[in-house]
Amino acid sequence: MQKRIKAAKRWLLGVWLIGGAVYVQAQECPPWPREQLALETQALAEHVAIWDRAYHDQGKSLIDDELYDQAVDRLASWQACLGDKTPHRPLTRVTRSGGTLNHPFAQTGLNKADDAGVRRFTSRRENLWIQPKVDGVAVTLRYQEGELIEAVSRGDGERGQDWTARAHQLPAVPNLLPIPLSMVLQGELYWVLNDHVQSQNPASGARGAVAGAMAQQSPSPDTLNRVGLFVWDWPDGPTDMAVRLAELTALGFDTANYTHSLNEQRDAAYWRDAWFNGALPFATDGVVLKQAERPGVQRWSSSPPEWAIAWKYPAQQALAQVRGVEFRVGRTGRVTPLLWLYPVTLEGKRISRVSLNSLERWQAWDIRPGDQVAVTLAGLTIPQVTDVVWQARERAALSAPSPERYHLLSCFTLTSGCEAQLLARLSFLSDQLGMLGVGEGTWQALIDAGVVTDLLGWMEATPTQLQQAHGIGAVRAAALEAQFRAARAASYAAWLSALGMPPGGSAQLGNWQTLEGYSRANWQAIPGVGPVRADALAAFFSHPEVQRMALTLQQSDIAGF
């Protein structure tokens, strides 16, 4: 009985769950043996290296920017689990022939803060400023007496690709300054977008488009014109923000248009929301908070500074690790794969499972436990998988149910492998017959106790038998019996639907004996019933199990039978 109860509890075919039944956040150390963790970490590192080479050397974006950032964070997390805390540096080795250059001053990274981290940062500092975190490619520009003499990609923060020749071709990057200053500027080359609203179009591909423009051998004039420049710092300029902004404006840069001081009326949350939901000429992925006064440039390094932090936008798609795969059989026999995930959060919604909707999609993607998938919210409510970002090296064995085994006329009775479909049939029946408070949980308990073993097995159940089910006492048993008794008075049309009559049939066509006598040709003669529906209806009314149930209903004096 225990085995039967477990089988009926939730029918899982080929389900393989990593780490038992405990849910943990994906950024924690995976519950794998160290050897497997090392193998999967190496695989992820190889994927990141491929993405980096395509992005920086060929100008191709093989993965969405938001997912790439999450993948790099996951790589760092897994490496830390193995005791390796070396930060990811995508361009420590540059493979293009254009050469590399040292940055005059290090391009600092930024620590990422959550809501609580932003509150701590702002509560301990005064005179703070904010900028949009423009989503493009970082660049260092060096001017000597007003002339652009060097442009360097971010690289690893200390050294990057020599972009000088290409920068001279970009209309947005001045080759000569209006004032003959010697200076170093740090900023972002971005893809110019018209009235871009980040919250409405998160996957713009803007970062990849800029990388492509910088990597192409001979980009067109239109491509060069689409590359804009946002200067976000002047390392060897004035240390005070207000003075720095005024002088950048005098040089023709628009930094001041997108750099604002924080106050009680317009705090960090205000600007973050405004830039996330408002129109901008570039893609953004968050905001950057900075102190007005910062250390002199000689104290800079490529490590994240203490005087600035990044506050990213809420994730609009998440990189989720598959914990297990479950195959559910529905009322009509449709097999639907369900992915169990290590929980992720999107738009404040915690997501731990997502349907693939069809067995064909699972077969095409071949998703196994340990795989990493991209998850979004359709209509801001329904989670859906949009892609398999990468697959685990270790492929767990899965056995999916054969779609030929389950269909519209299978599993009216509890036989081996029929638990899930029968449960779905019973849940649908109670809904069609108006049974109040009788749902999947009730039917599951009755199946587990052996009280209900077929679609109409509840009709003769006594209160004593009902009380054999877990959680059903005398009061609940009496209430269930009352619901079962009331269901007998449901309309003939409701009963036809509850039994699973295919579309095209109707109670208005006659009683059961009349419909049972319809041939395929009779059904197809009805308006709206084509060959496929006619076949389904003829098969339904002639099926031995269906006819057996009809006889039971006739003997129980159910109207129409």
Side-chain angles (χ1 to χ4, degrees), residues 189-354:
L189 296 174
Y190 61 83
W191 194 247
V192 177
L193 302 171
N194 293 323
D195 295 329
H196 175 74
V197 179
Q198 189 67 32
S199 62
Q200 298 176 6
N201 187 21
S204 63
R207 193 191 304 175
V210 180
M214 299 304 289
Q216 290 176 28
Q217 291 293 329
S218 301
S220 68
D222 287 343
T223 297
L224 296 174
N225 279 314
R226 287 292 301 273
V227 179
L229 170 67
F230 174 67
V231 174
W232 35 257
D233 217 333
W234 177 3
D236 55 350
T239 58
D240 180 76
M241 178 69 80
V243 176
R244 195 158 65 246
L245 290 175
E247 295 193 20
L248 286 172
T249 299
L251 292 170
F253 298 106
D254 64 355
T255 309
N257 294 341
Y258 303 101
T259 307
H260 304 286
S261 61
L262 299 182
N263 53 50
E264 291 184 0
Q265 289 73 36
R266 295 188 172 184
D267 58 7
Y270 169 86
W271 286 110
R272 182 174 181 252
D273 181 73
W275 284 326
F276 185 52
N277 295 298
L280 291 171
F282 39 65
T284 57
D285 61 356
V287 296
V288 177
L289 283 72
K290 298 180 176 181
Q291 293 179 190
E293 286 282 346
R294 53 160 170 73
V297 71
Q298 300 304 325
R299 294 172 56 190
W300 287 25
S301 73
S302 58
S303 300
E306 295 183 356
W307 43 267
I309 59 168
W311 189 14
K312 303 274 279 189
Y313 292 143
Q316 293 178 284
Q317 56 181 334
L319 183 66
Q321 182 175 319
V322 178
R323 176 175 174 263
V325 181
E326 175 186 345
F327 299 95
R328 290 189 172 180
V329 181
R331 176 182 65 90
T332 63
R334 178 185 175 89
V335 179
T336 302
L338 184 71
L339 302 185
W340 290 90
L341 309 172
Y342 287 94
V344 294
T345 301
L346 283 174
E347 300 291 342
K349 182 181 179 68
R350 185 176 183 271
I351 300 168
S352 60
R353 64 181 182 178
V354 59

Side-chain angles (χ1 to χ4, degrees), residues 14 39 59 117 131 341 459 552:
L39 180 68
Q131 294 174 331
L341 309 172
M459 294 186 69
T552 298

Side-chain angles (χ1 to χ4, degrees), residues 25-101:
Q25 292 294 330
Q27 290 303 92
E28 296 180 4
C29 296
W32 297 329
R34 184 176 179 83
E35 295 76 12
Q36 183 182 354
L37 177 58
L39 180 68
E40 300 299 345
T41 301
Q42 179 184 354
L44 174 53
E46 291 172 1
H47 279 288
V48 171
I50 291 171
W51 298 331
D52 285 342
R53 284 195 296 270
Y55 177 74
H56 293 285
D57 295 350
Q58 303 168 30
K60 297 179 180 178
S61 184
L62 303 181
I63 179 175
D64 183 80
D65 299 338
E66 188 173 27
L67 295 174
Y68 171 84
D69 293 340
Q70 294 178 48
V72 170
D73 288 344
R74 187 152 303 170
L75 175 60
S77 173
W78 288 1
Q79 288 173 331
C81 293
L82 293 170
D84 180 5
K85 298 185 179 180
T86 305
H88 170 65
R89 293 188 170 187
L91 282 183
T92 52
R93 184 180 68 179
V94 181
T95 58
R96 287 181 56 80
S97 60
T100 61
L101 295 171

Side-chain angles (χ1 to χ4, degrees), residues 127-207:
N127 198 4
L128 293 174
W129 295 67
I130 193 168
Q131 294 174 331
K133 190 173 182 295
V134 179
D135 196 8
V137 294
V139 66
T140 293
L141 304 173
R142 185 159 73 92
Y143 289 87
Q144 186 171 317
E145 296 182 355
E147 180 181 355
L148 177 65
I149 63 169
E150 200 170 84
V152 189
S153 73
R154 186 186 189 281
D156 63 4
E158 304 284 351
R159 187 175 182 82
Q161 190 76 43
D162 183 357
W163 277 354
T164 308
R166 180 52 44 83
H168 279 135
Q169 298 176 307
L170 299 176
V173 178
N175 289 329
L176 292 173
L177 298 175
I179 303 173
L181 293 177
S182 295
M183 62 192 306
V184 173
L185 299 177
Q186 293 179 345
E188 203 83 5
L189 296 174
Y190 61 83
W191 194 247
V192 177
L193 302 171
N194 293 323
D195 295 329
H196 175 74
V197 179
Q198 189 67 32
S199 62
Q200 298 176 6
N201 187 21
S204 63
R207 193 191 304 175

Side-chain angles (χ1 to χ4, degrees), residues 9-33:
K9 200 75 174 177
R10 174 67 69 194
W11 188 65
L12 302 178
L13 270 178
V15 66
W16 199 86
L17 301 179
I18 297 177
V22 180
Y23 286 99
V24 297
Q25 292 294 330
Q27 290 303 92
E28 296 180 4
C29 296
W32 297 329

Side-chain angles (χ1 to χ4, degrees), residues 515-539:
L515 299 182
E516 187 181 27
Y518 270 41
S519 66
R520 181 182 183 279
N522 295 141
W523 284 116
Q524 196 166 345
I526 296 173
V529 177
V532 175
R533 285 189 173 183
D535 285 341
L537 286 161

